Amino acid sequence: MGGNTAAQKTRTAKTTERGTRVKQQSQSAESAQPENQPQPIRHVRYRPRAAVDLESAVVYLGEVRQAPQAAKRLFDGITQALANLCAMPTMGKPFSDDNLDRKMYRTWLVGHHRIFYSFDDEWLTVWRIVHTSQDIDNYAIRPLEDVNG
């Protein structure tokens, strides 16, 4: 009884082949990304004012305007845009203002809302989310520390 029978060898080969096929299918499914869902390489970080901007816009649409579906579309549109910007942050238009210390801001339009952001290798920082009908004053995208100090 020193070796495997031909039937045992065949079963082992079939099991190994099946395992390899399943593993290959699993790996290809994991690596397949839908074309409209870029793999983010940065993380989104909201500055306090940007978080308030987004929440205010969604609450205004959902509660004040009684348009919960529009509020959901706005929220989903902004979060999807931010996911896209994480993958390709240079898509946004460069924005600078003589009153700003930093010149590395970019903007991206989602419906009637403009996202002001900056980025580095690790983070996409959202500074403000402003409706296009709003005025942008000197303090609109300055850090609060700069405004108060």
Side-chain angles (χ1 to χ4, degrees), residues 118-129:
S118 60
F119 68 94
D120 59 26
D121 291 339
E122 189 177 348
W123 297 100
L124 184 115
T125 303
V126 181
W127 291 89
R128 293 296 306 267
I129 301 170

Side-chain angles (χ1 to χ4, degrees), residues 59-115:
V59 168
Y60 174 76
L61 282 174
E63 297 294 324
V64 176
R65 299 294 302 243
Q66 296 293 308
Q69 294 302 323
K72 181 171 178 6
R73 280 193 308 274
L74 174 63
F75 181 81
D76 291 346
I78 289 174
T79 54
Q80 181 62 52
L82 292 173
N84 293 341
L85 289 168
C86 280
M88 294 177 28
T90 57
M91 286 191 321
K93 179 181 173 185
F95 174 83
S96 64
D97 186 304
D98 293 336
N99 294 324
L100 297 174
D101 296 335
R102 299 181 180 143
K103 304 293 182 195
M104 61 195 141
Y105 293 107
R106 289 184 173 266
T107 65
W108 188 256
L109 191 62
V110 177
H112 295 287
H113 288 82
R114 186 169 304 280
I115 301 169

Side-chain angles (χ1 to χ4, degrees), residues 4 16 31 63 67 82 86 94-95 97 134 142 148:
N4 291 337
T16 303
S31 64
E63 297 294 324
L82 292 173
C86 280
F95 174 83
D97 186 304
Q134 290 177 285
R142 282 194 143 157
N148 296 327

